[in-house]
Amino acid sequence: MYSGSSDGESHDTSTQRKIPPASSMLWVRNLRRYIGSGAGLGSEALMELETKRILLEIFKEKQQKSQEAGTIPSFYKKKPENGSISQRVQRLAKYRFLKKQSDLLLNADDLAAMWVCLRENCVIDDATGAEKMNYEDFCHISSVCTEQIGPKCRRFFSPSNFMKFEKDEAGRIAILPFYLYVMRTVSLTQARIDMSELDDDSDGFLQSDEMESYIGGLIPNLAQLRDMPPAFNQMYCRIAAQKFFFFCDPHRRGRACIKKILLSNCLQELMELHQESEEEVTDTEQAENWFSLTSAQRICDMFLALDKDMSGSLSKQELKEYADGTLTEIFIERVFDEHVRRGKSGAGNSREMDFDSFLDFVLALENKDTPEGLTYLFRCLDLQGRGFLTTADIHSLFRDVHQKWIEGGNYELCIEDVRDEIWDMVKPSDPLKITLGDLLGCKQGGTVASMLIDVRGFWAHDNRENLLQEEEEPPEEESQ
């Protein structure tokens, strides 16, 4: 190989002049130093340079954290410290957001005006006499309401809302279900705003004290609670809040999801206390409603009557007197094993049931047919903690019921026959064991649980035909 120039002359490569690199030149170094200091840049260039530097630092910091954490993503974000700027900004933002949402709600006057508009612009069904409206009436009422109330009612008159309701052959919907839908939407939205205001850490969950504060704020607006003695207010809030946590906090973490509270039947049951008791609610309905004043006082009296030593908690012996002593001993033992915390000393004899645990106990027995109540009871029935019941478990559980049954002067019965009857009622997927899913699926789980823990429950099942006949018979007229 050889190299040559255009004129044919050869040159020695070793004698060629070398061009120094740009970085070694003095003017280049001075220029870079001048630009790097930012002294010769304008304000926009300086801002861009600073932005790049900050972004580079953020990228390096995230890269370093990612390397330290490995492949596990971050799932926990530390909450701002009390009194910090970030916490104040967060609270201010939440306050403004909730204030804006509250301003968009219809008030009582707006709802009354909407009802007047609906009635004035509807048509009467000749066959049923119901007040109805077609889609044209729906759009016209929307315009009228917007003029009288304002644009905040417009969202209720969307085509999708019209399609939610049952229509007759002429394509009309009844105005009453639509109005009730509007009222319920407004009520639930207001409840969510009130609960969110009490949610101090803004995580979407309420602690027990926050739930009690929400209930306490409702008391003045509930017609059936206006006569509540002020001294009973705190106790009532504690009793009422416990039902929300029993149904909305199944894992007993001490917090209930706001969305789950809003969708639960508990809130609807509490709102029933808006009705005037003298005219619209019977004494029986008041006693059946957990949130009624009658029910709350009944539970308090029951606890005080069982607490013989006035210690503020119940021992096993004291709890055995519940429901006139019809519950079995083995069930009481299992309740303390599964649902009562041990005392500070750790000894078995020091374990006693506090008032909150007693409320859960009563709620489970009074709601045996619900998944939450049956789950509570199944843990007590599962003697070995295996997640299922065998024939041996059924025999052991019913043995105490059988003993109380005989002591009550009833006829002799065969435990094996009762066991076979329970198996026929449940029809478990595995013929050798009964799971919680089997009890929930057979729709008779509450009855089965009553048969195994309460002699009165077994008596009700054994006499179900007579009891059903008595309910169907009309009351006899008084002889004149």
Side-chain angles (χ1 to χ4, degrees):
M1 297 294 292
Y2 66 92
S3 63
S5 62
S6 60
D7 57 358
E9 296 179 358
S10 61
H11 298 277
D12 188 2
T13 57
S14 61
T15 61
Q16 289 181 358
R17 186 178 180 181
K18 295 182 179 180
I19 300 175
S23 59
S24 63
M25 296 181 183
L26 180 61
W27 68 272
V28 172
R29 291 199 302 270
N30 291 337
L31 179 61
R32 286 183 176 177
R33 191 180 301 112
Y34 183 70
I35 294 175
S37 64
L41 299 177
S43 58
E44 293 184 3
L46 281 173
M47 186 180 299
E48 185 177 354
L49 186 65
E50 182 69 12
T51 303
K52 288 182 179 180
R53 184 184 65 79
I54 294 174
L55 291 176
L56 183 61
E57 289 179 357
I58 294 174
F59 173 75
K60 289 181 178 179
E61 184 180 355
K62 286 187 176 180
Q63 196 174 29
Q64 183 180 359
K65 288 183 178 179
S66 178
Q67 291 175 355
E68 293 175 355
T71 58
I72 301 176
S74 176
F75 58 90
Y76 172 76
K77 186 176 180 181
K78 187 177 180 181
K79 296 178 181 178
E81 298 179 359
N82 291 332
S84 63
I85 297 296
S86 58
Q87 186 192 45
R88 294 179 183 179
V89 171
Q90 186 182 58
R91 287 184 176 179
L92 180 60
K94 184 178 80 168
Y95 168 77
R96 290 187 175 182
F97 173 77
L98 295 177
K99 180 69 168 57
K100 181 181 179 181
Q101 296 301 315
S102 182
D103 292 340
L104 294 175
L105 283 180
L106 302 178
N107 55 35
D109 295 335
D110 297 334
L111 291 171
M114 179 183 287
W115 177 243
V116 172
C117 290
L118 287 169
R119 298 202 66 184
E120 289 180 349
N121 297 276
C122 67
V123 295
I124 307 298
D125 191 344
D126 296 333
T128 62
E131 298 172 315
K132 296 185 176 182
M133 58 182 172
N134 58 23
Y135 187 68
E136 292 181 359
D137 299 330
F138 185 75
C139 294
H140 174 68
I141 294 172
S142 173
S143 302
V144 175
C145 287
T146 303
E147 292 177 2
Q148 295 184 5
I149 300 173
K152 58 184 177 181
C153 67
R154 192 178 298 161
R155 65 188 183 99
F156 294 107
F157 291 92
S158 64
S160 57
N161 278 347
F162 184 83
M163 296 301 295
K164 290 177 182 178
F165 299 92
E166 184 180 359
K167 289 171 280 296
D168 60 10
E169 296 176 353
R172 300 175 301 184
I173 65 173
I175 67 170
L176 181 59
F178 172 76
Y179 181 69
L180 293 177
Y181 160 77
V182 174
M183 288 187 64
R184 177 159 176 78
T185 302
V186 171
S187 176
L188 287 177
T189 306
Q190 184 62 60
R192 182 168 188 175
I193 292 173
D194 295 339
M195 291 181 189
S196 298
E197 288 178 351
L198 294 169
D199 181 15
D200 189 53
D201 50 5
S202 302
D203 61 349
F205 291 82
L206 291 184
Q207 311 290 338
S208 58
D209 57 333
E210 295 168 344
M211 191 68 216
E212 290 177 17
S213 298
Y214 170 74
I215 295 172
L218 287 178
I219 290 177
N221 301 320
L222 299 176
Q224 297 182 37
L225 300 180
R226 288 173 185 164
D227 298 331
M228 180 188 298
F232 191 68
N233 194 309
Q234 184 177 359
M235 180 58 69
Y236 173 83
C237 293
R238 183 178 178 185
I239 295 172
Q242 194 65 25
K243 182 164 186 176
F244 283 98
F245 281 88
F246 182 82
F247 284 97
C248 302
D249 180 28
H251 300 294
R252 302 295 181 266
R253 295 174 178 171
R255 59 179 195 162
C257 178
I258 292 178
K259 290 183 179 180
K260 198 167 184 179
I261 292 173
L262 294 171
L263 296 175
S264 69
N265 293 328
C266 300
L267 187 63
Q268 184 177 356
E269 187 179 356
L270 176 61
M271 293 306 174
E272 289 177 1
L273 302 183
H274 278 294
Q275 302 175 13
E276 295 291 343
S277 58
E278 294 82 1
E279 302 175 359
E280 305 176 25
V281 182
T282 64
D283 293 338
T284 305
E285 291 176 336
Q286 280 192 5
E288 292 177 352
N289 189 328
W290 175 270
F291 299 102
S292 67
L293 183 59
T294 304
S295 175
Q297 291 173 336
R298 171 184 65 87
I299 293 167
C300 272
D301 294 341
M302 190 190 310
F303 183 83
L304 293 174
L306 293 173
D307 187 15
K308 303 294 185 183
D309 58 0
M310 301 176 65
S311 62
S313 57
L314 302 179
S315 63
K316 294 179 184 178
Q317 193 62 36
E318 290 172 334
L319 190 61
K320 288 177 183 178
E321 301 300 320
Y322 180 85
D324 298 327
T326 59
L327 299 177
T328 61
E329 256 186 69
I330 188 172
F331 172 64
I332 298 297
E333 290 284 344
R334 291 294 299 153
V335 168
F336 273 76
D337 290 341
E338 295 293 332
H339 301 290
V340 178
R341 298 175 182 175
R342 293 186 176 274
K344 295 181 179 179
S345 62
N349 294 333
S350 66
R351 246 187 320 181
E352 291 202 347
M353 177 181 284
D354 59 16
F355 187 63
D356 290 338
S357 299
F358 177 74
L359 293 175
D360 286 340
F361 175 78
V362 177
L363 282 165
L365 292 177
E366 294 185 357
N367 298 272
K368 291 188 289 290
D369 294 319
T370 64
E372 294 81 5
L374 198 54
T375 301
Y376 180 102
L377 297 176
F378 185 81
R379 288 179 58 185
C380 303
L381 299 177
D382 185 10
L383 302 179
Q384 307 299 327
R386 298 171 295 189
F388 59 86
L389 307 179
T390 62
T391 54
D393 296 327
I394 299 297
H395 189 279
S396 300
L397 290 165
F398 190 74
R399 188 168 50 202
D400 282 8
V401 176
H402 176 260
Q403 182 180 349
K404 287 181 175 291
W405 176 265
I406 298 301
E407 291 175 355
N410 297 289
Y411 65 89
E412 182 61 49
L413 51 84
C414 179
I415 298 180
E416 285 71 19
D417 292 343
V418 176
R419 181 192 61 197
D420 294 341
E421 183 178 1
I422 290 176
W423 236 257
D424 291 338
M425 293 169 63
V426 177
K427 295 181 177 60
S429 55
D430 187 336
L432 298 180
K433 56 187 179 182
I434 295 176
T435 64
L436 175 60
D438 294 327
L439 289 177
L440 292 171
C442 73
K443 307 301 181 184
Q444 299 188 77
T447 302
V448 172
S450 296
M451 294 169 62
L452 296 175
I453 66 174
D454 187 357
V455 65
R456 187 179 293 171
F458 177 75
W459 181 89
H461 173 73
D462 191 58
N463 294 271
R464 59 192 180 279
E465 296 180 357
N466 297 333
L467 294 174
L468 184 61
Q469 186 176 0
E470 291 178 3
E471 291 178 359
E472 293 177 351
E473 289 180 355
E476 296 181 0
E477 296 182 1
E478 296 181 1
S479 57
Q480 296 180 354

